[in-house]
Amino acid sequence: MFRYCFALRCAAQPVVMAAQAGRVVTLTINRPTQLNALNKAVSECLMANLEKFDKDPSCSVFIITGAGRAFVAGADIKEMRSRDFSERLISDDFAALGRIGGIAKPIIAAVNGFALGGGCELAMSCDIILASDKAKFGQPEITLGTIPGLSGTQRLPRLIGKTRAMEWVLTGATYTADEAARAGLVARVVKHEELMSTALAMAEKIAGYSQVTTKLAKMAVNASQEGSLHTGVDYEHFIFNSTFATHDCKEGMSAFVEKRAAKFENR
C-alpha cells in the first residue's frame, strides 16, 4: 500500500514526491524537464520529507531517486548564475542539504540516470548507492569555473581515494556506472529496469532488522570517516557493547540459538 505525501509545492506540481510502501519511504525528485536540477525548493522539500519520516516510527529506510532520465543532473545553473559572493554567503540555496548527515535512518540512493555535480554529491551523502547501468556520474563544476560545493571535495576522496578524486574534480569528466563501481563509489550496478525493485528489496531487508541496531550500525560506520582508526575502533567497541542493553540484541541471539526467526521490536 502506498501513501503519498507532498511536503512542498513548486508551481502546480510537487518538487519531491514521497511514497510509503510498508516500512520503506521512497522520495522522488520531480523536476524531469530540468533533469531534476537542485534548487532551494528541492533542497528544502527533500529535507522536510527526510526529517519528517525520520521521526515517524512507521518508516525504517529511505530510497531517494529521480523522475525521468536523471537522478539529479546538478544544481540549477540558471538560478545560480546571477548570485554574487555576498548573496551566496547570506542565502545558501542548498543549506538544507547540510542536515542530511543528521538523518538517523539508512538512506539508499537509487541512481537512475545523470548524477552530476550536486547530484553526485547528494548520492554520496546517502548511505548506499545503487546505480542503473544507464547512470552517469561526475563532478563537472570545473567546466563552469567553480568547484564542488556540496561536500564533493571532501566525500569523494574518502570514497574513491585522493588521486581518483583529483582526476574527477580537475577534469570534470563523466563516468559510467561501471567505472564508478570500479572506483568504489557505487555499491552495485543493476539493469535499468531492475533498479527500483532491487533498491526496494534491499530496503525491505534492512527494514526487517531492529531499527535501533541499524541506527547504531550507521553511526559506527559514519564515525570511520570522521577521525583516526584508533578513535573509530574505540567508538565501534562502545556501540557494540551498547547493543547488549537492547531487547533486540537479546532476541536476535536467542533466535539464532533456538534456530527460529527473530522477532525484533525496535527496542
Side-chain angles (χ1 to χ4, degrees), residues 21 29 60 89 107 115 118 145 161-162 166 184 210 221 225 227 235:
I29 299 170
S60 296
L89 285 179
I107 307 172
K162 177 188 172 182
M166 281 291 191
S210 166
V221 174
Q225 306 298 297
Y235 184 69

Side-chain angles (χ1 to χ4, degrees), residues 18 52 65 67 125 171 186 188 194 209:
K52 172 186 174 182
T65 193
S125 298
T171 68
V186 170
R188 192 188 310 176
E194 297 174 0
Y209 300 130

Side-chain angles (χ1 to χ4, degrees), residues 33-108:
T33 56
Q34 294 85 18
L35 297 180
N36 302 323
L38 292 176
N39 60 10
K40 186 173 184 178
V42 171
S43 301
E44 292 181 349
C45 187
L46 182 62
M47 283 310 306
N49 275 287
L50 286 169
E51 290 171 341
K52 172 186 174 182
F53 284 106
D54 203 34
K55 298 174 183 176
D56 187 339
S58 73
C59 168
S60 296
V61 183
F62 294 102
I63 297 172
I64 297 178
T65 193
R69 62 193 183 96
F71 176 71
V72 170
D76 195 322
I77 304 303
K78 290 182 180 179
E79 293 187 18
M80 289 177 60
R81 64 176 178 171
S82 63
R83 299 289 184 91
D84 61 22
F85 176 66
S86 60
E87 288 176 314
R88 290 293 304 165
L89 285 179
I90 294 170
S91 179
D92 186 345
D93 293 343
F94 313 116
L97 293 178
R99 303 197 303 271
I100 199 168
I103 299 300
K105 295 172 182 176
I107 307 172
I108 299 171

Side-chain angles (χ1 to χ4, degrees), residues 101-237:
I103 299 300
K105 295 172 182 176
I107 307 172
I108 299 171
V111 180
N112 54 302
F114 296 110
L116 306 175
C120 188
E121 290 165 300
L122 174 60
M124 287 190 287
S125 298
C126 298
D127 300 306
I128 300 171
I129 302 177
L130 297 181
S132 153
D133 55 8
K134 295 183 179 180
K136 303 287 186 183
F137 295 85
Q139 298 288 166
E141 290 89 347
I142 198 80
T143 68
L144 302 174
T146 186
I147 68 168
L150 293 177
S151 75
T153 63
Q154 304 305 301
R155 295 186 189 276
L156 196 60
R158 287 171 166 81
L159 292 170
I160 69 175
K162 177 188 172 182
T163 58
R164 280 200 182 104
M166 281 291 191
E167 179 189 350
W168 282 46
V169 171
L170 297 182
T171 68
T174 300
Y175 302 87
T176 66
D178 285 334
E179 288 172 326
R182 287 195 295 271
L185 181 68
V186 170
R188 192 188 310 176
V189 180
V190 299
K191 292 180 180 178
H192 183 74
E193 59 272 18
E194 297 174 0
L195 176 65
M196 293 311 297
S197 61
T198 302
L200 184 59
M202 178 180 288
E204 288 175 340
K205 183 173 184 178
I206 295 170
Y209 300 130
S210 166
Q211 283 194 61
V212 175
T213 308
T214 56
K215 289 179 182 180
L216 290 172
K218 175 173 172 172
M219 288 170 58
V221 174
N222 282 339
S224 73
Q225 306 298 297
E226 302 296 333
S228 68
L229 176 62
H230 178 75
T231 300
V233 170
D234 284 348
Y235 184 69
E236 177 193 77
H237 193 59

